[in-house]
């Protein structure tokens, strides 16, 4: 039974229509890292394969972080008294400039990678800085963890401090070299990363689009996060109908170009429709959006329009690496949106937030985010026994409680593509 | 040097005007549980007293939870898909009815008390249920912890399921007996607890007011939490000008009667003014208010009007016992309030939320909530060394980071009235 593993336990995941599936005491057969399905009894053909029994623990799909900034992890939890544009200039750009030092990058990214591997995240889409070498160092460190990630060398050639920008031509050249040098990894992939329209000239965007069409690489950026930013983009791209249209005009907004756009707080009807049409992923980052007083993204509308939505921790505007915390926040802010902004947008259910953090974001990585046959086996085995209660809790309430009290629970095992990265030598 | 203790470390607390004070490597002299002040050097008169040196750890005042429901702890983190009135009927009242069983109460309150003592809370104002015996059992358990609490036997005589109500006369009789029997505790005090106007008849409220005027006990209740509730109270108390005025008409709204009112989400100008005038404490419970889709309390207005504000975990509408989580949420929702509801209400600073969780709520207990001379010495000694960073963090950013990443930190010692309740035999 080479390449076959059987995991026994209480499996929680979502169906494609965002409904919770609970299969307690079931068996998931994993072959070469891919689920062969979840069964009540071990199918005859797999009899004799080794079974790992997680008894009463909770098993959920690994969580997918669709948007975060590795270099900002060093100041998480501080400096959240400003709005986006001032926050970037005051805290973020000066910090990111420090990654020209490989010594600093090595220390900071070492901490980031170690904390990420201990977190509930199994896959992530990550911003580096403009520095090719430091970003490759980040990829070196991530590659050793067993996590699957996309990592981008950031592009900026305008409207930022000198030490956070490159000349347009250098930026493109460095990006090409970055892509070449990052070909060596198994689980760590390059992604094109124009920071956002305000810091990327049209020439730079056209150059990146050229690289994209040749390499077929995916793209990550920011969209409609903050009101002042949206107004600024309107001035910078007067020919665009709206912010997303500016990316689209360069061919960097979905379609053939797999794209994740963070935030989308101020995305209106037309932008949402275009996102749906082009299959653009929205990375919803509710803690970040409240911490920077940006606002509340209209996630219910995204779902109604068929936009693909995942969650993002957005360190350091978000204060926590925990995607459980983002689930809680996603549900919370959707309730305030419903209460104050649009009574037709009913609040998210916790299961919908759970879907976003698993299948929603997982889709960016392919067949990832649930235990169905054919999906890569990413899983968290969670011990929630420290949450004590005098009353019986049904299986569904137990999942909710684990999410809301996630900091009291312990992750016992963390599978990525069928390997327990807590115990396996990679 | 009997009765004298000297604590050395990095002290963080707030001045009366909500400014942060940081005194690193200072000494706090504690005499009979009361601070004699914080000093750069040990004053000559205390030379020779024993010094406990917490070296590089963070020392902050113990946190005060102005509003929580002990019986609801058993279902925390689940059942948050409804608004207040339906939530009460579906989840809360059926659960609270179970506390007629002393066996159930013993188990559930045992867990609550143990978790509360491990939390960052040193003082709390707590709802029990209508059951006198179970509520006294809760007080027994809390008394052994060393925490200082107010605990109320709840009064309800209308608009609730049969098994959650008492006859008016019985309710008053039981309350009197509850007060008598709870006279035996040192740190656990009774508080009058009419649940809220909808479940308390005028006759019951008049009876409780009578008890209050004789005993001088403080009062806790709920105020203007949810729109439907506010509209209901308008119908139930047509003679009242507003919700708070209904309590006031019975003499149960501050003044001679020390009062804490939870939520105050829909408190308007007149209600806020009356709260300020009467010295009513507002228990701001931001996680609860978002979880039940109630709304956002106008805390900046409370502060501008001079209302006394503390924070409440409001288990189980709030999902976490951690008042650090309430600080984070308080700042977050104030940003959304500013963004969407009133651009004149500037967001809370994290220091202001820290103030509310320390001095703001502490004032309900007397001279509590900071390290100034004459204040009871409640303190948390916090090890934040597991938050690693490649960069130097200044003292203020360090506090912010500890709050935002509180779940990664460890409370090493917890002083209440000068005693470390983690180590001292009570």
């Amino acid at each position: 039974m080479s390449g076959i593993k059987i995991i026994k336990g209480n499996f929680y995941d979502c169906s494609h229509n965002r409904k919770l599936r609970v299969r307690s005491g079931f068996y998931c057969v994993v072959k070469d890292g891919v689920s062969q399905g979840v069964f009540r009894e071990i199918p005859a053909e797999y009899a004799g394969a080794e079974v790992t029994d997680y008894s009463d623990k909770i098993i959920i799909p690994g969580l997918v972080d669709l948007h975060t900034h590795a270099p900002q992890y060093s100041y998480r939890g501080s400096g959240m008294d400003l709005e986006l544009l001032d926050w970037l200039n005051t805290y973020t750009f000066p910090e990111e400039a420090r990654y020209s030092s490989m010594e600093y990058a090595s220390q900071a990214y070492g901490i980031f990678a170690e904390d990420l591997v201990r977190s509930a995240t199994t896959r992530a889409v990550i911003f580096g800085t403009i520095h090719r070498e430091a970003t490759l160092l980040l990829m070196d460190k991530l590659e050793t963890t067993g996590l699957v990630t996309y990592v981008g060398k950031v592009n900026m050639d305008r409207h930022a401090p000198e030490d956070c920008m490159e000349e347009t031509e250098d930026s493109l050249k460095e990006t090409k070299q970055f892509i070449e040098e990052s070909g060596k990894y198994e689980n760590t992939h390059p992604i094109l990363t124009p920071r956002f329209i305000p810091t990327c000239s049209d020439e730079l965007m056209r150059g990146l689009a050229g690289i994209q069409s040749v390499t077929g690489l995916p793209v990550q950026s920011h969209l409609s996060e903050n009101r002042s930013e949206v107004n600024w983009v309107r001035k910078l791209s007067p020919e665009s109908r709206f912010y997303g249209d500016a990316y689209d005009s360069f061919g960097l907004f979905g379609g053939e170009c797999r794209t994740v756009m963070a935030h989308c707080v101020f995305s209106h009807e037309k932008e949402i429709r275009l996102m749906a049409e082009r299959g653009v992923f929205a990375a919803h980052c509710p803690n970040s959006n409240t911490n920077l007083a940006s606002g509340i993204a209209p996630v219910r509308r995204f779902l109604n329009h068929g936009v693909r939505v995942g969650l993002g921790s957005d360190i350091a505007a978000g204060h926590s690496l925990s995607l459980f915390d983002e689930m809680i926040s996603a549900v919370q802010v959707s309730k305030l949106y419903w209460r104050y902004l649009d009574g037709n947008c009913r609040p998210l259910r916790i299961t919908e937030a759970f879907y976003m953090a698993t299948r929603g974001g997982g889709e960016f990585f392919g067949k990832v985010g649930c235990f169905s046959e054919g999906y890569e086996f990413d899983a968290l085995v969670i011990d929630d026994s420290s949450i004590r209660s005098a009353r019986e809790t049904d299986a569904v309430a137990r999942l909710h409680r684990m999410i809301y009290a996630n900091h009291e629970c312990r992750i016992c095992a963390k599978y990525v593509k069928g390997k327990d990265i807590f115990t396996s030598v990679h």
Side-chain angles (χ1 to χ4, degrees), chain A residues 4 14 25 78 104 119 161 188 209 273 287 324 337 349 359 372:
Chain A
I4 305 268
C14 290
S78 65
Y104 188 75
S119 79
T188 316
R273 281 185 192 281
N287 270 315
F324 291 121
Y337 194 92
R349 315 277 304 200
R359 285 185 85 143
S372 295

Side-chain angles (χ1 to χ4, degrees), chain A residues 353-392:
Chain A
F354 181 60
Y355 176 95
M356 289 176 200
T358 54
R359 285 185 85 143
E363 207 180 340
F364 192 79
F365 289 82
K367 294 192 84 167
V368 169
C370 72
F371 298 122
S372 295
E373 187 182 352
Y375 277 73
E376 297 192 77
F377 187 77
D378 291 6
L380 303 172
V381 181
I382 297 170
D383 180 356
D384 64 343
S385 61
S386 65
I387 306 178
R388 296 178 307 151
S389 176
R391 77 190 233 147
E392 294 288 314

Side-chain angles (χ1 to χ4, degrees), chain A residues 68-135:
Chain A
T68 202
H69 293 262
Q72 297 174 22
Y73 193 63
S74 51
Y75 68 96
R76 71 197 163 108
S78 65
M80 291 196 290
D81 51 339
L82 298 174
E83 281 193 82
L84 177 66
L85 301 177
D86 292 329
W87 177 83
L88 285 172
N89 285 311
T90 308
Y91 303 111
T92 309
F93 291 151
E95 178 64 18
E96 292 195 6
R98 301 179 72 166
Y99 289 78
S100 61
S101 155
M102 289 295 277
E103 192 188 330
Y104 188 75
S106 178
Q107 202 189 341
Y109 285 150
I111 293 170
F112 173 76
E114 284 172 30
D115 283 4
L116 192 65
V117 82
R118 272 196 290 264
S119 79
T121 300
T122 46
R123 307 210 179 206
V125 185
I126 302 171
F127 273 60
T129 61
I130 59 163
H131 313 94
R132 173 178 48 79
E133 285 185 303
T135 306

Side-chain angles (χ1 to χ4, degrees), chain A residues 115-173:
Chain A
D115 283 4
L116 192 65
V117 82
R118 272 196 290 264
S119 79
T121 300
T122 46
R123 307 210 179 206
V125 185
I126 302 171
F127 273 60
T129 61
I130 59 163
H131 313 94
R132 173 178 48 79
E133 285 185 303
T135 306
L136 286 163
L137 180 66
L138 169 61
M139 295 177 88
D140 287 346
K141 293 191 185 286
L142 287 169
E143 181 72 7
T144 67
T145 62
L147 301 167
V148 179
T149 56
Y150 285 97
V151 178
K153 175 223 160 314
V154 172
N155 300 100
M156 293 200 270
D157 71 343
R158 64 176 182 182
H159 300 137
E162 275 302 319
D163 53 5
C164 279
M165 290 194 295
E166 299 166 296
E167 295 297 322
T168 310
E169 211 169 306
D170 294 341
S171 188
L172 293 169
K173 208 179 113 202

Side-chain angles (χ1 to χ4, degrees), chain A residues 1-6 29-36 46 123 186 374-378 416-419:
Chain A
M1 287 287 167
S2 130
I4 305 268
K5 247 180 224 177
I6 298 179
V29 177
V30 182
K31 189 175 169 182
D32 300 329
V34 175
S35 170
Q36 308 300 304
Y46 302 113
R123 307 210 179 206
E186 183 193 340
Y375 277 73
E376 297 192 77
F377 187 77
D378 291 6
V416 184
K417 301 202 296 185
K419 264 187 201 160

Side-chain angles (χ1 to χ4, degrees), chain A residues 125 149-153 155 175 178-179 189-194 208 211-213 215-221 251-261 281 364-365:
Chain A
V125 185
T149 56
Y150 285 97
V151 178
K153 175 223 160 314
N155 300 100
T175 301
F178 165 74
I179 295 166
H189 312 291
I191 182 169
L192 292 169
T193 308
L208 291 171
I211 295 173
Q212 199 284 321
S213 67
T215 59
L217 287 184
V219 173
Q220 63 179 344
S221 196
L252 295 172
F253 202 67
E256 294 297 293
C257 167
R258 188 155 41 106
T259 302
V260 57
M261 285 285 164
F281 286 79
F364 192 79
F365 289 82

